[in-house]
Amino acid sequence: MADQGSAGVLNLQSAAIFLLIFVVIFELFRRPKNLPPGPWRWPLLGNFVALTRSGKHLHEVLAEWAQRYGGVMSVGVPPSQSAVIVVSDLDIAKELLSRQGEHPIDRATLPLTDKITDTRGSFLWSKGETAKEARRFGLGAFRKMGVGKKSLEHRINEEARYLVESIGAEKNRSFDPSLTIQNAVSNIICSISFGSRFDYDDPKFKTLLGNFRVVFQNLGVRSLGNLCPLLYHTPLFAKVRESAKFNRESIATIVQEHQDSFDENDFRDITDMRIADIKEKERTGLAPTITHQHIWRGILDMFAAGTNTTSHTLLWLISFVIKYPEVQDKIQREISEVVGSDRQPSCEDRPSMPYTNAVINEVQRLRPVAPFALPYATTQESQLKGYTIPKGSRVIINLWAMMNDPKVWDRPEEFNPGRFLSEDGKKMIQHEAFVPFSTGRRSCLGEGLAKTELFLFATNLFQRFTFKPPPGASKPELKGILNLTFVPEPFKVRAVKR
């Protein structure tokens, strides 16, 4: 009997080994030829183990691999069963994204994206002609709402006064700055999209922002929901489903109120502009790329992106000046020399404040809130740098790798604002590989707005406060947390009035 049992175990082991060999051979024959190079991928698991066991962030691991395999490589990232193409070289990214007639690619969604909410009408996730029309409309609407003009500057400075007042009320106590800063930044996109701002204590506003945090925290590349989308329907994602539903219904209600009170002679915000744009297409017999019932989706994109990216960059900035107080001293000296203390900073001050701008750039280079561009997928087989990219391949653009490439940047791991300054420190230096807002035709729609917000909010804050760590607290490690965006770890700070 013992011999029979042993034989049974051996048979099972033999069968398992045979099955493993079969799967490996099957995968080898199934894989397309002439793919870009990359690390060995296990069947089904791909490079999942290697990507997660290092303890480093995904963008860091992929950047290290790019140094070994090149600016375009193929890796296995579950749940995709085919190779994912990772581009870490700016020139290759430009070739891929700009020559769409020869190498057509389009936006791809994350596995959870379609489950969380409808993407029709989305500025971020739209494809093809719909994406072109959405970008055309979005850029025009931002210009009409004052991006790049004095009217928007006044609006940001007004909100900055609310922010300074809120922080000043802490009276040197230790506090978490994330909520206050997020409130202020969000109110700018609210005023542009909805026509009004919210009080920081407004319960609906607080719930809306809290729910966006829940969704963003669970929509990252490494989210279990993206590795196994079926989990979205389990109790594990109940809070995410509830948060997404509340946000969707809240934004849709605001849009419906706009539709009910719409006046073609008085555009209050981008929502009114979108309603008018669709009505005009209907009047002239052109088929609109989105319908009235999907307006809310684009407005939700603006609210989410306009809130999270800029607020997290400001939080990174505060984290860095706490760790490097001499940097904060230099910023404040520049503010005192150029602006003084009797008036608020202005966009006209920017050319005279190269050091402040250089610090903002260096923070964005080292800790971009979007280390990856939103994902793409190829629409047909194409050639790239001598390699064959199959149709339907997922494409990841590693922006962090481009901004931390040792072949391009001197000691990129060091925080050094001077890399953006001339030798005399009086002028800004532009770096082609500085791409925190991505590159190509799908680069960040709100880049102009974000740059204006970052400068004005930052200078207003440092003009009025010196940020210090709480007594006995260690300085921030600046490691960060990678979800859908790359955010600093929660921290507390003291804001000492100047």
Side-chain angles (χ1 to χ4, degrees):
M1 293 294 292
D3 291 340
Q4 291 180 351
S6 300
V9 171
L10 287 173
N11 286 337
L12 285 174
Q13 290 176 340
S14 299
I17 293 172
F18 174 79
L19 180 61
L20 177 61
I21 294 173
F22 174 79
V23 170
V24 170
I25 293 174
F26 177 78
E27 282 289 311
L28 288 174
F29 278 99
R30 191 173 68 93
R31 290 178 182 178
K33 305 300 182 183
N34 196 35
L35 278 175
W40 163 260
R41 303 192 305 275
W42 286 97
L44 303 179
L45 288 177
N47 299 116
F48 177 75
V49 175
L51 287 169
T52 56
R53 72 183 177 188
S54 69
K56 297 182 179 180
H57 292 303
L58 180 62
H59 52 268
E60 295 174 321
V61 178
L62 292 177
E64 290 178 357
W65 289 356
Q67 295 299 315
R68 188 185 316 165
Y69 298 105
V72 55
M73 62 182 178
S74 57
V75 301
V77 182
S80 176
Q81 295 302 306
S82 56
V84 174
I85 307 303
V86 181
V87 177
S88 304
D89 179 271
L90 180 60
D91 290 335
I92 297 176
K94 286 183 174 181
E95 178 181 347
L96 184 67
L97 296 176
S98 62
R99 296 169 57 193
Q100 294 193 27
E102 297 179 40
H103 305 291
I105 66 171
D106 212 336
R107 178 68 73 227
T109 56
L110 295 168
L112 270 185
T113 307
D114 293 318
K115 290 186 176 294
I116 287 178
T117 186
D118 194 342
T119 58
R120 288 176 292 181
S122 170
F123 286 102
L124 298 177
W125 304 103
S126 58
K127 303 177 182 180
E129 292 302 316
T130 302
K132 293 180 182 178
E133 191 279 333
R135 187 169 184 84
R136 175 202 62 77
F137 167 80
L139 291 173
F142 274 133
R143 283 194 296 270
K144 292 176 183 176
M145 290 305 299
V147 174
K149 301 177 183 178
K150 277 284 186 182
S151 57
L152 179 65
E153 178 183 327
H154 292 322
R155 188 176 302 186
I156 296 171
N157 266 339
E158 180 184 8
E159 191 62 44
R161 290 195 290 272
Y162 287 110
L163 175 60
V164 167
E165 180 182 342
S166 179
I167 292 177
E170 298 293 340
K171 299 185 183 299
N172 292 343
R173 293 188 297 262
S174 300
F175 72 103
D176 181 346
S178 60
L179 296 180
T180 308
I181 288 177
Q182 193 175 55
N183 289 339
V185 172
S186 183
N187 264 334
I188 301 302
I189 199 66
C190 283
S191 64
I192 290 174
S193 301
F194 306 149
S196 61
R197 68 179 296 277
F198 290 92
D199 186 83
Y200 292 173
D201 293 323
D202 185 298
K204 187 173 182 178
F205 185 46
K206 292 167 72 173
T207 302
L208 195 64
L209 292 177
N211 285 339
F212 270 110
R213 284 193 294 273
V214 170
V215 173
F216 268 65
Q217 288 168 2
N218 289 275
L219 196 58
V221 176
R222 285 183 174 177
S223 166
L224 288 175
N226 279 319
L227 296 176
C228 182
L230 290 177
L231 289 176
Y232 183 71
H233 303 288
T234 69
L236 189 64
F237 279 79
K239 180 61 176 176
V240 179
R241 294 196 301 273
E242 177 186 332
S243 298
K245 182 174 183 290
F246 179 90
N247 291 348
R248 180 171 62 249
E249 292 177 350
S250 297
I251 302 298
T253 297
I254 293 173
V255 172
Q256 185 60 55
E257 290 170 351
H258 275 63
Q259 291 173 326
D260 294 339
S261 60
F262 176 74
D263 181 353
E264 63 181 10
N265 297 312
D266 181 20
F267 290 173
R268 298 160 290 189
D269 45 47
I270 287 179
T271 302
D272 278 347
M273 292 180 190
R274 197 52 156 160
I275 295 170
D277 186 68
I278 295 174
K279 286 180 176 291
E280 177 63 18
K281 286 184 170 63
E282 291 173 339
R283 187 185 67 80
T284 56
L286 295 174
T289 55
I290 71 165
T291 59
H292 287 287
Q293 63 263 36
H294 295 126
I295 293 175
W296 67 269
R297 188 60 182 82
I299 302 301
L300 183 144
D301 278 352
M302 286 191 174
F303 182 87
T307 295
N308 283 279
T309 53
T310 302
S311 61
H312 287 139
T313 301
L314 288 170
L315 289 170
W316 275 121
L317 175 59
I318 293 174
S319 297
F320 270 93
V321 299
I322 292 174
K323 189 173 181 69
Y324 303 100
E326 68 279 7
V327 171
Q328 184 169 208
D329 292 341
K330 291 181 181 179
I331 292 175
Q332 290 173 329
R333 283 201 298 271
E334 189 172 67
I335 292 173
S336 296
E337 292 170 1
V338 176
V339 182
S341 59
D342 296 331
R343 67 172 177 88
Q344 284 185 280
S346 163
C347 287
E348 293 178 355
D349 297 319
R350 288 176 72 178
S352 303
M353 301 179 67
Y355 186 77
T356 301
N357 288 299
V359 172
I360 293 173
N361 280 15
E362 181 68 347
V363 169
Q364 289 183 291
R365 183 194 69 82
L366 262 179
R367 296 294 183 268
V369 293
F372 301 107
L374 290 178
Y376 292 92
T378 55
T379 58
Q380 68 180 46
E381 182 180 295
S382 59
Q383 299 296 310
L384 182 65
K385 296 299 177 184
Y387 300 112
T388 301
I389 312 299
K391 178 181 178 180
S393 296
R394 294 271 176 155
V395 178
I396 295 175
I397 309 293
N398 192 345
L399 303 175
W400 188 89
M402 298 173 190
M403 294 189 288
N404 287 269
D405 186 345
K407 296 192 296 292
V408 178
W409 305 86
D410 180 37
R411 294 191 292 274
E413 71 284 355
E414 295 181 4
F415 178 67
N416 176 21
R419 70 178 80 246
F420 288 98
L421 294 171
S422 59
E423 287 189 13
D424 60 7
K426 295 181 179 180
K427 293 182 180 179
M428 285 283 291
I429 295 175
Q430 300 300 321
H431 290 276
E432 185 183 14
F434 178 64
V435 286
F437 297 100
S438 192
T439 185
R441 301 179 184 181
R442 297 297 294 266
S443 61
C444 178
L445 188 65
E447 179 177 350
L449 172 62
K451 288 180 176 179
T452 303
E453 286 183 286
L454 286 172
F455 176 78
L456 290 177
F457 277 127
T459 50
N460 271 280
L461 287 174
F462 294 124
Q463 181 189 48
R464 299 301 172 190
F465 302 106
T466 297
F467 292 95
K468 298 182 178 182
S474 57
K475 293 181 179 180
E477 293 186 6
L478 305 176
K479 181 174 175 59
I481 301 169
L482 180 61
N483 296 314
L484 184 61
T485 52
F486 190 30
V487 303
E489 297 97 331
F491 67 97
K492 290 190 174 183
V493 67
R494 285 191 306 128
V496 180
K497 282 190 176 182
R498 299 182 66 211

